[in-house]
Amino acid sequence: MAYATAASGTSSDGSVGTSGSESMRLLRVFRVVRVARLLRLLKVKWLLETIGDAIPMSDYTSIVARVAQMMAILLYLNHVIACVFFATTTLGSYKTSWTDRYVEPGSDWRDAYMVALHWSLTQFTPAAMDVQPQNPLERAYTISVVIFALVGFSYVVGDISSCLTQLRNMSETSSKEFRKLRNFMRMHNVPRQLALRVTKFAEHAYSKQREAMPMSKVTLLNLVSEQLLGELAFEMNKPFLIIHPLFENMEAYATILLQRLCTKALVTKQLAHNDFLFVSGKQAEAMYFLSSGQLLYKKSMSEEDKEYVQANLDWVTEPALWLSNWEHLGTAEALGESVLISINAETFKKVVAHSNPAYIRVIQIYARRFLVWINEVPLHELSDVFQKELIEPQIRSFVPDGMLLGRSPSADLSH
């Protein structure tokens, strides 16, 4: 009889046990709220990580963003804890609650929330305040928050401390390197003007390197297969290469070859303002694509004959790939900080030699047509610079039509 009474929630005098059923309902509500809040927290964390991955950031910026992310998560956690602590005043049938003692009667709910938020923050830090739980429900909630804070506070503080240590190490490393550079200049009596130029460019290159994060700095990429590295390098450099019709054609019909070229033959080159890429009379060793900045090209035959090399529009010294004795016809100088992608001629030939024989033939046809055209150009019109808007139709006509139309390259082998 006693079991039946307890199960039905009815007392011995026939009254309904509202206290027990209300407690069970409140426990279920707490459980649902807790799960919902945790899911929302995971969603916020995922959203912050997604935003961080979508924005290009240097090592320094990413560490600062990580600290900001941890602070945001900590504030959100305290907001949730404060809201639940505030909600405990409306649950149960206790005579007193913390709001009755620590919040002025008739105060706005914002005042009570600020007190609850302050109380929540003190559970995660060594700080203290005079707000204390006033009934068993508030006491139980306070104990659970303190236990959670023991782990949560240690995790957040440890993560933030680790990030700040990384920032300090990065700052010390850069300061040490630039101090060594200045000492080197002073010990070797480098003229002040030149020393300032070297230091300024070193600072610019160092900041660019931190922002760009080259593949050599990513240790985990050493574990990636050669094919995946080729695909990665291909995707990074493809936008600059396919402005040339031959490399555009490679992307469509010889992707593996272009990936190998990106991995083995491509080198990134940085120039400071007024640096020379090459000078007149020097033998060409590479073909260049400008990824950022601008170059000024002057022919040696005429100082008034100038050309500007634009990023993602022009390419330089293509004959170096097809001739072994091409000498630069002028001088190329950087106008501001510039970044170039160079294709080494010798490495290009070695990579192509181990590619698909059919596409080797395609490249041979293109090279033969290109050299016939170069030999027909008057000497005073020859240049190291090839401007896309002027030369693209001519260069595109050298690529075998069968490849462009999607047919087998064997159709063009007889041409």
Side-chain angles (χ1 to χ4, degrees):
M1 183 65 180
Y3 175 79
T5 302
S8 63
T10 306
S11 63
S12 57
D13 60 356
S15 62
V16 178
T18 57
S19 178
S21 62
E22 183 180 358
S23 299
M24 293 300 295
R25 182 175 62 82
L26 291 177
L27 287 175
R28 286 195 295 269
V29 170
F30 270 124
R31 188 178 297 111
V32 172
V33 170
R34 183 168 62 251
V35 173
R37 292 297 186 182
L38 288 175
L39 290 176
R40 180 182 288 183
L41 177 61
L42 292 175
K43 184 177 180 180
V44 171
K45 186 175 184 296
W46 173 83
L47 180 61
L48 291 174
E49 291 177 350
T50 303
I51 294 174
D53 293 339
I55 301 175
M57 293 186 294
S58 64
D59 290 345
Y60 182 87
T61 308
S62 62
I63 294 175
V64 174
R66 174 64 178 173
V67 174
Q69 175 184 336
M70 295 305 300
M71 294 298 296
I73 292 175
L74 182 61
L75 288 175
Y76 182 78
L77 274 174
N78 280 275
H79 164 72
V80 173
I81 293 172
C83 289
V84 177
F85 188 56
F86 179 68
T88 58
T89 61
T90 63
L91 302 176
S93 56
Y94 301 104
K95 294 181 179 180
T96 59
S97 66
W98 65 269
T99 54
D100 296 331
R101 183 170 181 179
Y102 300 104
V103 179
E104 292 291 335
S107 298
D108 188 70
W109 66 268
R110 296 179 183 85
D111 297 332
Y113 169 76
M114 294 303 294
V115 173
L117 182 61
H118 186 188
W119 173 87
S120 175
L121 289 170
T122 60
Q123 310 308 306
F124 283 79
T125 63
M129 67 180 304
D130 57 355
V131 174
Q132 298 295 330
Q134 301 299 311
N135 57 60
L137 177 61
E138 294 174 2
R139 181 76 60 185
Y141 180 68
T142 301
I143 292 173
S144 64
V145 170
V146 170
I147 294 174
F148 172 75
L150 288 174
V151 179
F153 179 71
S154 300
Y155 173 75
V156 172
V157 171
D159 201 336
I160 293 177
S161 298
S162 176
C163 291
L164 294 178
T165 301
Q166 292 182 47
L167 287 176
R168 183 167 58 252
N169 291 339
M170 290 173 59
S171 178
E172 290 177 354
T173 300
S174 61
S175 298
K176 180 179 178 181
E177 292 301 323
F178 281 105
R179 186 165 56 251
K180 287 168 60 178
L181 177 61
R182 289 191 294 268
N183 290 338
F184 174 84
M185 299 293 182
R186 185 172 59 256
M187 291 172 61
H188 292 80
N189 298 320
V190 177
R192 181 174 178 80
Q193 191 66 27
L194 177 58
L196 289 175
R197 289 180 56 198
V198 172
T199 304
K200 182 179 179 182
F201 180 72
E203 291 174 350
H204 172 78
Y206 184 77
S207 63
K208 285 292 185 182
Q209 186 183 50
R210 290 197 306 181
E211 294 174 2
M213 191 181 296
M215 295 175 64
S216 59
K217 291 183 61 179
V218 185
T219 307
L220 289 178
L221 289 180
N222 296 329
L223 306 177
V224 178
S225 66
E226 182 179 354
Q227 180 177 346
L228 287 176
L229 283 177
E231 293 180 15
L232 181 60
F234 166 70
E235 292 297 333
M236 292 170 57
N237 295 289
K238 179 179 68 174
F240 311 114
L241 298 179
I242 60 175
I243 64 171
H244 191 289
L246 178 62
F247 293 104
E248 179 186 3
N249 187 257
M250 279 188 194
E251 181 196 9
Y253 299 99
T255 307
I256 300 298
L257 171 58
L258 192 54
Q259 290 177 0
R260 290 175 180 169
L261 287 174
C262 291
T263 305
K264 299 180 180 296
L266 264 62
V267 177
T268 301
K269 187 178 181 67
Q270 292 186 339
L271 298 178
H273 181 59
N274 294 331
D275 277 359
F276 291 105
L277 176 62
F278 53 76
V279 295
S280 177
K282 184 179 179 181
Q283 184 168 328
E285 298 178 350
M287 177 182 180
Y288 301 97
F289 292 88
L290 188 63
S291 61
S292 65
Q294 189 179 47
L295 298 179
L296 174 61
Y297 176 76
K298 299 179 181 178
K299 285 188 179 180
S300 58
M301 298 178 61
S302 174
E303 287 295 327
E304 298 180 355
D305 195 354
K306 300 179 181 179
E307 298 179 66
Y308 291 94
V309 182
Q310 306 291 337
N312 298 322
L313 286 176
D314 308 324
W315 59 89
V316 183
T317 328
E318 182 182 352
L321 298 184
W322 320 120
L323 294 171
S324 58
N325 57 350
W326 179 268
E327 294 183 355
H328 293 293
L329 303 175
T331 300
E333 179 182 1
L335 299 180
E337 287 78 10
S338 303
V339 180
L340 301 101
I341 296 174
S342 68
I343 303 178
N344 183 271
E346 293 300 322
T347 309
F348 175 85
K349 296 172 185 176
K350 292 178 182 178
V351 174
V352 170
H354 292 86
S355 64
N356 188 318
Y359 207 84
I360 292 178
R361 182 60 176 159
V362 170
I363 294 177
Q364 290 174 341
I365 294 172
Y366 172 86
R368 188 179 301 116
R369 294 174 177 177
F370 179 87
L371 293 177
V372 169
W373 170 71
I374 281 289
N375 289 327
E376 293 176 351
V377 175
L379 182 60
H380 68 277
E381 295 183 7
L382 286 175
S383 173
D384 290 297
V385 177
F386 296 81
Q387 296 181 330
K388 181 177 181 179
E389 66 273 14
L390 300 178
I391 206 69
E392 181 180 16
Q394 186 72 40
I395 296 296
R396 191 173 294 278
S397 68
F398 301 154
V399 182
D401 295 337
M403 294 298 293
L404 291 176
L405 296 174
R407 302 197 306 266
S408 169
S410 58
D412 283 297
L413 299 185
S414 58
H415 297 324

